[in-house]
């Protein structure tokens, strides 16, 4: 499978490129974005180095990294990212998905629209097992996961709840 752009009503999910680092460093510069995921905002240089590693691909042949930046077409700007780590196992592919939207663009439905677009595209590619791990106190991400069709499970990992796409 090859990563491609994904179009939704307002958004273009554009395959990640190193050239996105400078704009994305600004998008992701709010320390509040890291409350639930840990870490701190990256400088443009550090983000460029990270994007170089991501674009180069996973060193594990059983895993594929798919990363997109979220472009809000009307405003012609990047607003966040979505990602899927694809693991190939005996019964097919499993995608671990995540999303982040910069603070200035939150509460506009961008994360929901991007996550729905991502999940839909993954299903079109034949990925049936889709999951996300979300901190139970991260109410915005809980709402995004539910809107994308994922449901919480009883499985916990490092304090986060596993959300999964129910079988079709």
């Amino acid at each position: 499978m090859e990563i491609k752009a994904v179009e939704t009503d307002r958004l273009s999910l554009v395959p990640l490129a190193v050239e996105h680092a400078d704009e994305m460093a600004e998008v992701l510069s709010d320390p509040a974005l890291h409350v639930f995921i840990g870490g701190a905002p990256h400088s443009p240089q550090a983000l460029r180095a990270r994007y170089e590693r991501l674009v180069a691909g996973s060193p594990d042949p059983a895993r594929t990294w798919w990363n997109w930046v979220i472009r809000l077409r009307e405003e012609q700007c990047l607003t966040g990212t979505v990602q899927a780590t694809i693991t190939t196992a005996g019964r097919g592919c499993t995608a671990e998905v995540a999303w982040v939207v910069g603070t200035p663009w939150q509460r506009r439905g961008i994360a929901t629209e991007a996550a729905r677009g991502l999940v839909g595209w993954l299903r079109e590619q034949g990925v049936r097992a889709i999951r996300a791990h979300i901190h139970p106190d991260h109410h915005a991400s809980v709402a995004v996961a539910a809107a994308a069709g994922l449901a919480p499970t009883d499985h916990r990992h490092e304090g986060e709840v596993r959300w999964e796409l129910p079988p079709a």
Side-chain angles (χ1 to χ4, degrees):
M1 290 181 271
E2 181 182 338
I3 186 172
K4 302 215 178 201
V6 177
E7 302 294 327
T8 68
D9 288 343
R10 300 178 297 155
L11 309 173
S12 295
L13 308 182
V14 179
L16 180 71
V18 175
E19 295 76 27
H20 294 130
D22 288 343
E23 186 174 354
M24 287 304 301
E26 181 64 29
V27 170
L28 303 174
S29 65
D30 186 350
L33 292 174
H34 299 269
V35 168
F36 292 107
I37 61 173
H42 291 295
S43 69
Q45 297 80 11
L47 199 56
R48 193 172 303 106
R50 176 174 168 73
Y51 285 3
E52 286 172 356
R53 288 189 303 275
L54 291 173
V55 169
S58 171
D60 181 348
R63 289 189 174 190
T64 304
W65 296 335
W66 288 343
N67 295 275
W68 295 261
V69 291
I70 303 168
R71 179 174 299 286
L72 182 58
R73 287 190 303 270
E74 183 177 293
E75 296 180 21
Q76 298 182 18
C77 64
L78 301 181
T79 62
T81 64
V82 291
Q83 63 188 41
T85 298
I86 310 298
T87 305
T88 305
R91 297 180 302 186
C93 296
T94 299
E96 179 84 27
V97 298
W99 49 83
V100 63
V101 170
T103 306
W105 298 278
Q106 291 178 2
R107 294 178 183 79
R108 294 171 58 180
I110 292 170
T112 296
E113 187 173 331
R116 283 180 176 159
L118 175 61
V119 168
W121 185 83
L122 289 168
R123 293 197 67 176
E124 289 173 7
Q125 306 311 304
V127 178
R128 295 291 172 243
I130 300 173
R131 63 179 61 131
H133 285 87
I134 302 171
H135 191 285
D137 294 335
H138 196 323
H139 303 294
S141 277
V142 164
V144 169
L150 282 67
T153 68
D154 292 332
H155 186 271
R156 303 286 186 273
H157 179 72
E158 296 181 3
E160 295 183 328
V161 176
R162 179 190 293 165
W163 286 67
E164 294 182 348
L165 187 67

